[in-house]
Amino acid sequence: MTIEYEILGEPGRDNALLVTIDSGQSQHRLLFDCGEGCLSRVPVSQVQAVEAVFFSHFHIDHVAGFDTFLRMNWARPDTPVRVFGPPGAIKIVHHRLRGYTWNLVAGVPGQWIVTEVGAGRLRSSRFLTAEAFEVEHPFQESAAPGAVVYRGGCFVVRAHTLDHGTPCLAYTVREADRQNVDADALGALGLPPGPWLKAVKDEGVAADKSLGIAGKDYLVGDLRSRLLISSPGDSIAYVTDFFLATEIEAAQLVGFLSGCQTLVCENNYRDADADLARKNYHMTSSDVARLAARVGPERLVLFHVSDRYDVQAWREQLAEVRQRFDRAVFPQAWGIE
Ligand SMILES: [Zn+2]
Ligand SMILES: [Zn+2]
């Protein structure tokens, strides 16, 4: 299993994040925000394979590319298109779906499930292509234990609400823990390695199933507890458009991001523009660096930089962050170091 990611869009323009989780058997594609032009270089087949779009909030620089996504997915067969966002998401996405003339759609497949995330609860509505997206079908309302908003087979997505003058969602994607065979324990048991190890690692195999190995019978559950050691899978966080006004808010976000390997974080303002940053509910370079230093990811990827600066200023901005957190980079494709 691996998580790969790509920051979409240019520096100083709208950005988004495309995450691909490869389970070994299948690939899952998740899109975080959808600014203008962000999908222009993503192959159509990949856009059509995005199983869920996670909006942080609905400021236009995070949504202006949504029509491109809609155009490639309005009649998706088989699997529904999932969309997540803060409170208000259902109404806003409904408006966007209804913003076109949809005649001749009778019998056309396509189902969109939009979920609002707020106050530890999820509220979902469904819209059908064959109905020209006209009717909102309230679909589900539930708690979100552990802040989990979406589960794929081998990963979970969690959301945490931040303050951007409007609720703004930070997200994490975490793979399930990896189960590896402890070679020393295997040796101590005196069992020969073989295809039976696959059954021990496969969570789909019941713990009370019996396996015949080297002429003796063993319970899968027993073998699991004696042989398997677990380690965390890959993880990535997407955090944008926010301001931490209090230590309580900062500590809650640090807790939410804890253990994430890759932290993708906005850096809209340099330290010299701290007043503007505060007024517009954004972080400065030093704010972002201090946050990263507390979370301790393997890498901090800075994005959503402002077009009020030029390339030289972006370089200085990166240096500002690195003074406090040296594992900071811009997306490789930007070529700014
Ligand atoms: Zn915003
Ligand atoms: Zn923004």
PDB file of all heavy atoms in Angstrom, residues 57 61-62 241 282 304, ligand 2:
ATOM      1  N   HIS A  57     -13.641  24.497   1.900  1.00  0.00           N
ATOM      2  CA  HIS A  57     -14.676  25.521   2.039  1.00  0.00           C
ATOM      3  C   HIS A  57     -15.019  25.967   0.620  1.00  0.00           C
ATOM      4  O   HIS A  57     -14.460  25.444  -0.345  1.00  0.00           O
ATOM      5  CB  HIS A  57     -14.182  26.675   2.917  1.00  0.00           C
ATOM      6  CG  HIS A  57     -13.012  27.454   2.368  1.00  0.00           C
ATOM      7  ND1 HIS A  57     -11.841  26.838   1.943  1.00  0.00           N
ATOM      8  CD2 HIS A  57     -12.827  28.787   2.154  1.00  0.00           C
ATOM      9  CE1 HIS A  57     -10.984  27.764   1.532  1.00  0.00           C
ATOM     10  NE2 HIS A  57     -11.572  28.953   1.630  1.00  0.00           N
ATOM     11  N   ASP A  61     -11.806  30.501  -5.064  1.00  0.00           N
ATOM     12  CA  ASP A  61     -10.501  29.988  -5.516  1.00  0.00           C
ATOM     13  C   ASP A  61     -10.330  28.496  -5.229  1.00  0.00           C
ATOM     14  O   ASP A  61      -9.367  27.879  -5.692  1.00  0.00           O
ATOM     15  CB  ASP A  61      -9.338  30.797  -4.912  1.00  0.00           C
ATOM     16  CG  ASP A  61      -9.349  30.848  -3.397  1.00  0.00           C
ATOM     17  OD1 ASP A  61     -10.444  30.954  -2.811  1.00  0.00           O
ATOM     18  OD2 ASP A  61      -8.272  30.791  -2.785  1.00  0.00           O
ATOM     19  N   HIS A  62     -11.270  27.905  -4.489  1.00  0.00           N
ATOM     20  CA  HIS A  62     -11.200  26.465  -4.200  1.00  0.00           C
ATOM     21  C   HIS A  62     -12.251  25.663  -4.954  1.00  0.00           C
ATOM     22  O   HIS A  62     -12.299  24.443  -4.856  1.00  0.00           O
ATOM     23  CB  HIS A  62     -11.340  26.231  -2.688  1.00  0.00           C
ATOM     24  CG  HIS A  62     -10.221  26.848  -1.913  1.00  0.00           C
ATOM     25  ND1 HIS A  62      -9.180  26.112  -1.387  1.00  0.00           N
ATOM     26  CD2 HIS A  62      -9.946  28.154  -1.637  1.00  0.00           C
ATOM     27  CE1 HIS A  62      -8.320  26.939  -0.807  1.00  0.00           C
ATOM     28  NE2 HIS A  62      -8.766  28.178  -0.939  1.00  0.00           N
ATOM     29  N   ASP A 241      -6.297  27.602   4.349  1.00  0.00           N
ATOM     30  CA  ASP A 241      -7.205  28.706   4.642  1.00  0.00           C
ATOM     31  C   ASP A 241      -7.711  28.675   6.084  1.00  0.00           C
ATOM     32  O   ASP A 241      -8.876  28.355   6.342  1.00  0.00           O
ATOM     33  CB  ASP A 241      -8.376  28.705   3.655  1.00  0.00           C
ATOM     34  CG  ASP A 241      -7.924  29.031   2.243  1.00  0.00           C
ATOM     35  OD1 ASP A 241      -7.054  28.304   1.737  1.00  0.00           O
ATOM     36  OD2 ASP A 241      -8.428  30.003   1.659  1.00  0.00           O
ATOM     37  N   HIS A 282      -5.779  33.884   7.636  1.00  0.00           N
ATOM     38  CA  HIS A 282      -4.757  33.013   7.050  1.00  0.00           C
ATOM     39  C   HIS A 282      -3.563  32.935   7.996  1.00  0.00           C
ATOM     40  O   HIS A 282      -3.405  33.749   8.901  1.00  0.00           O
ATOM     41  CB  HIS A 282      -4.282  33.562   5.694  1.00  0.00           C
ATOM     42  CG  HIS A 282      -5.155  33.161   4.548  1.00  0.00           C
ATOM     43  ND1 HIS A 282      -5.132  31.901   3.993  1.00  0.00           N
ATOM     44  CD2 HIS A 282      -6.085  33.866   3.841  1.00  0.00           C
ATOM     45  CE1 HIS A 282      -6.005  31.844   2.992  1.00  0.00           C
ATOM     46  NE2 HIS A 282      -6.603  33.016   2.878  1.00  0.00           N
ATOM     47  N   HIS A 304      -0.714  27.062  -2.157  1.00  0.00           N
ATOM     48  CA  HIS A 304      -1.639  28.188  -2.006  1.00  0.00           C
ATOM     49  C   HIS A 304      -0.870  29.446  -1.598  1.00  0.00           C
ATOM     50  O   HIS A 304      -1.192  30.100  -0.612  1.00  0.00           O
ATOM     51  CB  HIS A 304      -2.727  27.844  -0.967  1.00  0.00           C
ATOM     52  CG  HIS A 304      -3.949  28.741  -1.036  1.00  0.00           C
ATOM     53  ND1 HIS A 304      -3.939  30.006  -1.554  1.00  0.00           N
ATOM     54  CD2 HIS A 304      -5.235  28.538  -0.643  1.00  0.00           C
ATOM     55  CE1 HIS A 304      -5.136  30.544  -1.474  1.00  0.00           C
ATOM     56  NE2 HIS A 304      -5.955  29.660  -0.925  1.00  0.00           N
TER      57      HIS A 304
HETATM   58 ZN    ZN B   2      -8.027  30.148  -0.497  1.00  0.00          ZN
END
